[in-house]
Amino acid sequence: MMSQIPLHRIQHGAPGMLLKHFSHGSITQNGYIATSVDYAHRDNYYVFIVQESGENRLLVDFKEYRLQGGTMVCILPGQVHGGAKQADGAGWLLALDALFVKEEMKEVFEKTLFTGNLVTPDEESLADLLSCITVLNRKLCAEHQPLHHYVSSSLATSFVSLAAELYESHQPAGADKRRTIITRRFKALLSENILSVKTPSQYAALLYISPPYLNEAVKSVTGCTSSYWIQYEIALAAKRLLFYTDMSIKEISFHLGYEDCGYFTRLFGKIAGTSPAQFRMIYRK
C-alpha cells in the first residue's frame, strides 16, 4: 500500500494539456501507445472523459460511475479517482490545467460535488464535444506547425465552454449569485484548511460573514448545512487515507488534527456509520 495518495501533474503535450484516446482496453496518445493509470491518485488539473460508445466503470471519491454509451465525466482537481475498469468503451480523456477554466465555469463544475460527476449528453451535444476533441487531437499530433499552441489552446477553451454548458443544463436552478459565490469560496477554504479549521464559525470568520448567513447560503445552494459539509470533508479525507494508504488509524487521526484517537474514531463512526477499522476491512476486500 502507499504511504500517501500520489498527485499527478501534466508533463506531456502542449502546455497545460494532455489528450488520450481509449478503445477496447487500449490507450493511445498522439498516435502512440500510452500507458493506463489504474491505481488511485489525484490530479492538480481537470480531467474530462468523453465516452462515445460501450461501457466503462470509474471510481471517484468512493462513488462508482457506470459509463454506458455516450457519457461524460468531469473530475475536479484534488478528487481521488482510479480503479477504472474498461470493458468495451471507446472515447477520449482530456486533462487540462485550471488556467483553461474561467471562474464562472469553475462554479459550474464544482457543483458536481453535489450533483455527481457524470452527465449524459444528447446527440447534438455529444457530437459537438467529439468534434472539438477530434480537431484538438489532430493539432496535437501535428509537429512543428506554426501557431500550434495558440490553436490548441483555443480549442481547449472551446471544449471547456461546451462542457460547462452541458453540465449547467443538467443542474437544478441555483440560488442567487451572492450565495453561490459564498458557497464556492466556503468549499475552497474547506478543501485547503480542513486539517486545522473545523467549525462553521471559523469559516464564517474567514469569509467575513456571520455563521447563520454562511449556513443559510450553503444550504440554499447545496441542500445541506455548512456543518454537514465540514463533517463530509473530514470523513472523506479519512476514507481516502484508510483505503489508499497503509497509515495506522492513530496516524490518520493525528494527520487530520485529532490528537485523541478515541474521539476521532467516535466522530468517524457518527459520520460514516462504521468505525475506521471496519471501513478499512470492508472496502479493502
Side-chain angles (χ1 to χ4, degrees):
M1 293 296 293
M2 299 174 286
S3 59
Q4 58 182 349
I5 302 171
L7 174 67
H8 289 186
R9 304 175 187 275
I10 296 177
Q11 298 178 339
H12 304 290
M17 69 179 73
L18 179 152
L19 180 61
K20 294 182 179 182
H21 182 261
F22 59 89
S23 178
H24 305 288
S26 66
I27 301 176
T28 58
Q29 180 184 347
N30 296 341
Y32 299 95
I33 299 297
T35 57
S36 61
V37 179
D38 56 4
Y39 57 84
H41 65 282
R42 67 179 84 211
D43 306 309
N44 71 336
Y45 47 84
Y46 287 83
V47 174
F48 299 93
I49 299 173
V50 182
Q51 181 172 282
E52 302 176 61
S53 61
E55 181 177 349
N56 281 312
R57 287 189 292 168
L58 179 68
L59 189 67
V60 182
D61 276 338
F62 301 98
K63 184 172 182 178
E64 184 179 75
Y65 292 99
R66 292 180 178 272
L67 286 65
Q68 297 178 314
T71 52
M72 181 175 182
V73 172
C74 171
I75 303 174
L76 304 180
Q79 285 194 296
V80 177
H81 58 284
K85 298 180 180 179
Q86 293 191 15
D88 61 346
W92 300 86
L93 182 152
L94 176 60
L96 290 174
D97 188 279
L99 292 173
F100 290 101
V101 185
K102 295 180 180 179
E103 287 300 315
E104 59 268 27
M105 294 179 187
K106 288 180 181 178
E107 292 180 13
V108 173
F109 295 130
E110 285 169 4
K111 287 182 181 178
T112 61
L113 293 169
F114 321 127
T115 60
N117 299 66
L118 183 146
V119 294
T120 302
D122 56 39
E123 290 185 9
E124 182 178 348
S125 297
L126 181 61
D128 289 343
L129 291 165
L130 291 173
S131 294
C132 191
I133 281 186
T134 301
V135 178
L136 177 59
N137 182 61
R138 188 167 69 245
K139 296 299 179 182
L140 291 176
C141 289
E143 297 181 358
H144 309 299
Q145 294 293 324
L147 302 179
H148 164 75
H149 295 318
Y150 295 103
V151 175
S152 298
S153 297
S154 296
L155 287 166
T157 301
S158 296
F159 173 87
V160 171
S161 298
L162 289 170
E165 182 182 50
L166 173 63
Y167 272 89
E168 188 171 42
S169 70
H170 282 74
Q171 293 169 351
D176 62 71
K177 189 169 181 62
R178 166 68 174 163
R179 293 182 178 184
T180 300
I181 291 173
I182 288 173
T183 300
R184 183 169 64 82
R185 290 177 178 172
F186 166 69
K187 291 291 290 181
L189 287 171
L190 194 57
S191 298
E192 296 170 0
N193 300 281
I194 192 59
L195 299 184
S196 57
V197 182
K198 295 183 171 65
T199 66
S201 59
Q202 289 174 306
Y203 285 103
L206 291 172
L207 291 166
Y208 301 101
I209 58 177
S210 69
Y213 185 58
L214 170 63
N215 193 59
E216 179 183 333
V218 172
K219 190 170 183 179
S220 69
V221 174
T222 70
C224 298
T225 65
S226 54
S227 294
Y228 168 84
W229 288 112
I230 292 171
Q231 293 182 347
Y232 172 87
E233 195 71 24
I234 293 169
L236 180 58
K239 288 177 180 179
R240 288 169 172 171
L241 295 172
L242 286 165
F243 186 80
Y244 295 117
T245 78
D246 56 3
M247 293 174 66
S248 69
I249 294 173
K250 185 174 182 179
E251 288 173 330
I252 292 173
S253 173
F254 187 77
H255 176 79
L256 294 177
Y258 298 98
E259 296 185 4
D260 185 341
C261 185
Y263 175 79
F264 164 73
T265 299
R266 293 191 297 273
L267 178 64
F268 183 89
K270 176 183 176 182
I271 301 170
T274 184
S275 70
Q278 289 173 326
F279 176 87
R280 173 170 273 173
M281 179 179 66
I282 292 170
Y283 279 85
R284 282 192 177 179
K285 283 185 178 180

